[in-house]
Amino acid sequence: MNMFQQSIVTLPSMLDNDFYKFTMQQGVVRLFQGARARYQFINRGKHSFPPGFGQALRQSVDAMAQLQLTREEKRYLQVTCPYLDPVYLDFLEGYRYNPEEVHIEQHGDQLQVHIDGLWYRTILWEVPLMSLICELFYVMQHEHRISNDEVVDNTREKIEKYHSLGVNIAEFGTRRRYSYQVHRLVVQALRQYGTGSFVGTSNVHMAMVNQTKPIGTHAHEWFMFHAARYGFKMSNAMGLENWVRVYRGDLGIALSDTYTTDVFFKQFDKMFSKLFDGVRHDSGDPLQFADKVIAHYQRLGIDPMSKTIIFSDALNYDRVARIAAHCHNRIGMSFGIGTNFTNDAGPKAMNIVIKMTEAHPQDGEWTEVVKLSDEHGKYTGSEQMINLAKTILEIK
C-alpha cells in the first residue's frame, strides 16, 4: 500500500450529503433533465496543499462510485420526506456517482477541481467533495485534534448556551467539517443535550442515524441556473415559481441573496410572500436583513410573526445572541450553525467553496453564471459577467 492509498478518506453513505442537494436534484430531474452544469473549487483561504494531495483526493473520489442508496435509507426517505416522490426515490436508488465527472489537478501546493456533466447528476458532488477535501487535508497535514470527549463536551456547552437564549438551532456543517467522526460526535451530542433547542441537521445520513429531521430547501445554484435559462431579470421569480411547481408549498424557506436581497424582494411579491414560510439569510449584516424582511412583510399586510428567518452565515454564540435580541417578538427565527460545530476541533477551519460556474440549459448554450451576495467578498463569477448582471439588475 503506497502513501496515497493510506490517505484515502471514504464516505459511509449516499445520504452523507446536505438535504437541499436531494431536494434540488428532484427539481432538476422533474424540470431540467437535459441541462448541464460546471462547478469549480475556490480556495478562499489560500490554503497550501501537501505533496500528493491531488492523487489522494482522486482515489477518495473514485471510491465514491461504490456508494448506493440502501433499502433502509429509501424507507427512511419515504416516511420522513413524503414530498420526495416515488419516481425520484427509485431514481436515487439506481444513482451512482461517476468519478469521471470530477477533474482534479495539483500544481505545486495549489489544487484545481472542476466538475462537468448533466446537472441532475453533478448536483450531488459539491458537499461530499468539500468534506473529503477538508478531512483529507487534516489527515495529510497530520493535524491533531482534541479528544472525542472534548468534542462532546464543547458541543454540549454550546447547545446549552443556545438553549438559554430560547432559540432553535440546526446543524449545517457537512461541507467544512473536520472529519466524519467529529461530525457524528457533534450531532449525537446535539441530539442528546439539545432537547428544546436542537431541531435537526442538514446532513441526511446524520439525521437518519440520530432519528432527527433533515433540514434544507434550495441553494444559490438553483437561482444561478435560472438566470442562465431565463435571464437575470427573471431568475428569482422563475426560480421560486419552479420550486412551487415541484413542491406545492412544502419546503418553503426561500434563499434571498443570489442577486442581493434588495433585488430579490422586488420579485418576492404577495403571492410568494404568503406561500413561502420564510427566507434564509446567508450574507451581509443580519440585523439589517431582519429589518428589511420585517418591513417587507408589513408592507404586504402579512404578520412577520407568522414567518421565519433562518440565519446561516458564519454563526457563533455571540452573533446568535445579538440577532436573537434584535428579532425577539418581531419575527420567527431559527439558526443554522455549520463550521463552529463541526470544525472546532483544534486546527484552523478551512475556508473553501465549490460553486457553479456555467450552465447549459437544454436547447440552450453554455452561459457563465454569477452570485451577487449582499457581502461583496462572496461574489462569484468573472468581473465582466458580474458587471453585466449588476447593470441589468440596476445594482450599484
Side-chain angles (χ1 to χ4, degrees), residues 231-261:
F232 290 117
K233 283 282 191 181
M234 296 299 296
S235 57
N236 283 320
M238 291 305 302
L240 295 170
E241 185 73 38
N242 280 329
W243 196 254
V244 172
R245 283 180 63 190
V246 176
Y247 288 105
R248 313 301 296 172
D250 283 322
L251 302 176
I253 297 294
L255 182 59
S256 57
D257 72 331
T258 308
Y259 303 108
T260 76
T261 295

Side-chain angles (χ1 to χ4, degrees), residues 13-134:
S13 167
M14 174 70 73
L15 296 185
D16 187 14
N17 203 332
D18 278 345
F19 187 47
Y20 66 20
K21 285 295 180 173
F22 299 108
T23 57
M24 288 192 297
Q25 186 183 48
Q26 175 170 267
V28 177
V29 169
R30 185 88 62 87
L31 302 176
F32 304 112
Q33 295 173 3
R36 300 182 66 86
R38 290 173 177 158
Y39 301 78
Q40 181 176 334
F41 168 75
I42 303 172
N43 184 6
R44 282 181 176 167
K46 302 188 185 307
H47 306 283
S48 297
F49 292 88
F53 187 92
Q55 185 176 345
L57 179 61
R58 175 78 267 165
Q59 294 185 355
S60 295
V61 167
D62 288 347
M64 289 180 64
Q66 305 304 314
L67 293 175
Q68 62 186 84
L69 192 73
T70 67
R71 288 286 179 173
E72 182 184 8
E73 289 170 336
K74 186 178 181 182
R75 283 192 293 271
Y76 169 78
L77 294 175
Q78 287 171 332
V79 172
T80 310
C81 312
Y83 35 77
L84 298 179
D85 65 51
V87 174
Y88 171 67
L89 292 180
D90 283 348
F91 158 81
L92 191 61
E93 189 175 26
Y95 176 91
R96 301 292 183 273
Y97 282 105
N98 178 4
E100 294 180 2
E101 294 165 348
V102 181
H103 310 278
I104 302 168
E105 294 182 17
Q106 182 172 355
H107 302 282
D109 63 357
Q110 292 304 299
L111 181 70
Q112 295 181 358
V113 182
H114 303 272
I115 305 163
D116 189 337
L118 288 164
W119 190 27
Y120 78 83
R121 294 192 46 80
T122 55
I123 197 168
L124 291 190
W125 277 112
E126 174 194 350
V127 174
L129 194 51
M130 286 180 63
S131 70
L132 285 176
I133 291 171
C134 285

